[in-house]
Amino acid sequence: SRGAGSGVSGGAHATPGSVVLSLELMTRIVEVNPDDETAVVEPGVINAELNAAVAEHGLMYAPDPASYRWSTIGGNVATNAGGLRCAKYGVTRDSVLALDVVLADGTLVSTGHRTFKGVAGYDLTALMTGSEGTLGVIVGITVRLRYLPREVHTLAAFFDDFPQAAAGVLAIGRARVQPAILELLDGCTLEALDGAHGSDLRRRGGSLLLVRTDGYGAAAEAEAIRSALAALGASVSDEGSEEADRLVDLRRHSRGDEVDDLYRVGEDVAVPKSRLVHYVADLEAMAVRHRVRLKVVAHAGDGNLHPTFWVERSEGEQARQRLEDALDESVRRALDLGGTITGEHGVGQYKRRWLAWEQSSEILELQARIKQVFDPLGILNPGKAIVS
């Protein structure tokens, strides 16, 4: 089944002999229950459209991937999508209460519950969320809504370099303040944004930590964060609502547009927050050693990094091999630090080669057996997400 096709790991790409089942016309918001703080939607509903529909009730759907303006809720559920607000509100799985799923034999089943709490039986809703279309076709989704913040404060903290900004993430955690958004951008990313959008971010510093607090304590939380970052030597400024929205929007588009003259791969790994500084330093060393270019953005609040490596196509296959070697090493190092090969984009086709690096043979076998139970003929999204 296919939604908007906005995933970046190849989970929505058809393999040879496949039939593509498009759900893009299943766009009904079936119901919104303001007092229960839930909504029921079809899988083709666009993330931003759900948020617009519930905002009038003072509510929001918290998961907000960078593609929220065009990605569908069904696709978000299939990949257990993340986003900028994950630091405070969690990933998609944390907002999904129940699912209507068509199984491989055509049976329609409902999993989960409409209550926030419920522990009856195995959690098949959580299993389906992030299963990348390999266990069933999701046709209905019940989600939990959160309170739309009445107040937000956004800070832009500029540091001399990226490792210092990464250290700022730990400082915020040690201050025991919970930002809603905590994003980290390196100098190369700032330069790219300035070139594409006419901003002046790189002039303001060598790395940016973008912080947003929300709720009734937003001002106090922002002030505590300001103090923690200023103590590290950061230049911290309050951003007015228009400039703050522009900065957050620039961050959402910081991965860059497709270009024909580069071999470029954007990664999606996560490491424990305590290892963030070490991993960033390792990435920079890798780029030098493999002679590839690097820029890094990160959902720093939960340790999810998006390093992008690239080389010039004109350098030929040798350069492409250097790129592949850098990618392999970046994933291996993330695992060595206690991390994962994918924080939010899923395994799809592209990351299957690394799954066995993270998961033991026993775990891979269990997953293959689960797949066999749900899809004995292997007809659901073949060749994706799990190593069989």
Side-chain angles (χ1 to χ4, degrees):
S1 60
R2 182 178 175 92
S6 59
V8 297
S9 293
H13 293 178
T15 51
S18 295
V19 174
V20 177
L21 175 64
S22 175
L23 305 180
E24 64 180 341
L25 297 183
M26 298 185 70
T27 58
R28 287 192 307 148
I29 297 176
V30 179
E31 57 182 282
V32 176
N33 301 289
D35 290 334
D36 288 338
E37 298 158 22
T38 62
V40 180
V41 302
E42 292 183 336
V45 172
I46 301 296
N47 185 298
E49 292 174 354
L50 174 58
N51 266 297
V54 302
E56 63 185 84
H57 303 289
L59 298 167
M60 69 175 182
Y61 177 61
D64 67 329
S67 57
Y68 77 103
R69 290 191 181 95
W70 60 86
S71 65
T72 62
I73 301 296
N76 293 168
V77 172
T79 57
N80 192 24
L84 276 68
R85 290 195 293 238
C86 290
K88 183 172 183 177
Y89 296 102
V91 295
T92 297
R93 181 177 285 121
D94 299 304
S95 291
V96 176
L97 297 174
L99 295 171
D100 298 320
V101 183
V102 177
L103 301 178
D105 65 0
T107 304
L108 176 64
V109 298
S110 296
T111 71
H113 37 76
R114 291 199 175 198
T115 55
F116 293 165
K117 296 173 71 175
V119 295
Y122 295 143
D123 191 349
L124 298 182
T125 303
L127 176 63
M128 287 287 178
T129 304
S131 62
E132 300 189 52
T134 62
L135 301 180
V137 179
I138 296 169
V139 295
I141 305 154
T142 301
V143 299
R144 176 180 184 172
L145 303 173
R146 308 283 179 162
Y147 302 141
L148 189 66
R150 295 299 181 96
E151 186 175 358
V152 297
H153 280 255
T154 304
L155 300 176
F158 288 90
F159 290 80
D160 290 339
D161 57 41
F162 197 55
Q164 287 182 346
V169 176
L170 287 181
I172 293 172
R174 289 168 180 161
R176 300 298 183 247
V177 184
Q178 179 60 71
I181 291 176
L182 181 56
E183 298 293 309
L184 182 56
L185 296 82
D186 72 352
C188 190
T189 300
L190 299 183
E191 290 174 7
L193 288 173
D194 289 345
H197 302 283
S199 50
D200 66 343
L201 301 175
R202 186 63 180 87
R203 181 185 60 79
R204 298 170 67 180
S207 185
L208 167 63
L209 199 55
L210 183 61
V211 190
R212 174 168 285 180
T213 59
D214 67 10
Y216 287 105
E221 289 174 335
E223 191 53 44
I225 290 171
R226 175 198 301 279
S227 297
L229 298 181
L232 293 179
S235 170
V236 188
S237 63
D238 276 308
E239 304 296 334
S241 58
E242 185 174 331
E243 177 63 14
D245 289 341
R246 174 169 166 77
L247 277 176
V248 172
D249 201 49
L250 285 176
R251 162 59 189 93
R252 293 187 189 278
H253 295 90
S254 60
R255 299 293 291 278
D257 298 323
E258 290 302 318
V259 286
D260 293 332
D261 58 345
L262 302 177
Y263 289 124
R264 184 176 69 184
V265 179
E267 257 307 321
D268 165 44
V269 296
V271 298
K273 284 172 61 177
S274 63
R275 311 303 290 169
L276 195 62
V277 175
H278 302 280
Y279 187 62
V280 167
D282 289 342
L283 285 173
E284 292 178 339
M286 284 174 217
V288 172
R289 188 163 55 253
H290 293 285
R291 290 181 291 130
V292 299
R293 299 291 302 280
L294 168 72
K295 65 178 182 178
V296 185
V297 296
H299 304 303
D302 49 24
N304 186 188
L305 300 103
H306 297 313
T308 297
F309 293 101
W310 75 94
V311 293
E312 299 284 342
R313 285 181 184 263
S314 60
E315 296 181 63
E317 283 303 309
Q318 188 179 40
R320 183 168 181 166
Q321 186 57 54
R322 296 201 314 269
L323 176 64
E324 294 291 342
D325 291 344
L327 289 169
D328 283 346
E329 186 176 349
S330 71
V331 171
R332 180 70 76 183
R333 184 56 181 152
L335 292 171
D336 289 344
L337 293 174
T340 176
I341 67 172
T342 175
E344 60 185 2
H345 291 158
V347 174
Q349 294 181 72
Y350 190 78
K351 288 178 173 274
R352 287 186 66 184
R353 58 176 168 155
W354 295 320
L355 188 57
W357 293 8
E358 176 172 338
Q359 297 184 331
S360 69
S361 59
E362 293 84 0
I363 293 299
L364 293 174
E365 173 62 20
L366 279 173
Q367 290 179 126
R369 288 161 64 185
I370 290 170
K371 167 74 168 172
Q372 179 69 20
V373 168
F374 280 87
D375 182 19
L377 299 180
I379 63 174
L380 297 176
N381 212 7
K384 313 292 175 55
I386 64 173
V387 175
S388 56

